[in-house]
Amino acid sequence: MRSPHHLTVGILGAGHLGMAIAARLLGTDYDVRLATRRPARVTAEQIAPFLPGVEAVPRTEAYASDIVIAAIPLRRYRSLPAEPLAGRIVVDVMNYLPLIDGRIPEIDDDPRSTSELVQQHLPGSFVVRTLNHIGAREISTDTRPSGEEGRRALAVASDRPEATARVSALLDAIGFDAVDAGPLANGRLFAPGTPIFHGRWTADGLRTALADALAR
Ligand SMILES: NC(=O)c1ccc[n+]([C@@H]2O[C@H](COP(=O)([O-])OP(=O)(O)OC[C@H]3O[C@@H](n4cnc5c(N)ncnc54)[C@H](OP(=O)(O)O)[C@@H]3O)[C@@H](O)[C@H]2O)c1
């Protein structure tokens, strides 16, 4: 993994969440580029009015980023390619919302958290679960400078402490505290339907809520 300075962040998805994250990354030390399934030229036209300065790239280029944020519908997670993403940090923001996504039998039939399924699909990647329990609009409205009282915190789960640290630094750069939620399997503690998912937390509150959820 490269030094924290000038890391590249490739965002897959130019929807509500992908665009909101890209906007926050502008002006930070991270080099951000964004890709959809469409040609980069088409994505560029789509994002230019909202994200001047953010480069649209083909997906293959986005895969080659230090941190790849998969801001795509969960039903499409199998379109993430394992080989090009091997060795990369892949941030999984994808929620299973059957009312929106429809039912996905392989998820209904599997007791594991959805991030564990994503990790199984991407065995060579370092999957990090976070940014799923905040609304796209709140990515711009709820940010605060580091150290400010009441700053909103987000949970971060992964099986690689270094990946957790890298993504926690990114969260700090875009205006949020990060709370280490432990291994990737703990992503279930802040999945849709949980109190953590539906709440707004400071770091102390989130640590307590995670401990309570683990103890249940
Ligand atoms: N919206 C929120 O407030 C929010 C909050 C937390 C988490 N999330 C999660 O974030 C994810 C994205 O949500 P959203 O609301 O931003 O969705 P969205 O508005 O529907 O956008 C999805 C984007 O993904 C692109 N896309 C689809 N498949 C792709 C692929 N294989 N490679 C690259 N791009 C692909 C789509 O573009 P093309 O069709 O042009 O490729 C589109 O730009 C979902 O999993 C959702 O559960 C959303």
Side-chain angles (χ1 to χ4, degrees), residues 58-143:
R59 275 189 285 177
T60 46
E61 214 172 298
Y63 300 151
S65 305
D66 297 302
I67 298 176
V68 177
I69 301 179
I72 67 174
L74 182 62
R75 67 178 179 281
R76 298 207 194 286
Y77 83 89
R78 284 182 178 279
S79 68
L80 299 169
E83 203 276 322
L85 290 171
R88 312 279 170 198
I89 293 173
V90 176
V91 179
D92 171 17
V93 306
M94 301 176 281
N95 288 315
Y96 182 35
L97 300 167
L99 279 178
I100 296 172
D101 288 323
R103 297 224 77 97
I104 306 176
E106 68 174 283
I107 293 177
D108 288 335
D109 296 344
D110 200 310
R112 290 174 296 175
S113 68
T114 54
S115 289
E116 290 171 278
L117 298 186
V118 175
Q119 180 69 80
Q120 177 177 276
H121 174 66
L122 303 173
S125 305
F126 313 121
V127 174
V128 179
R129 178 61 154 167
T130 190
L131 279 165
N132 69 304
H133 62 104
I134 182 168
R137 195 169 303 164
E138 295 159 6
I139 299 270
S140 51
T141 59
D142 285 13
T143 62

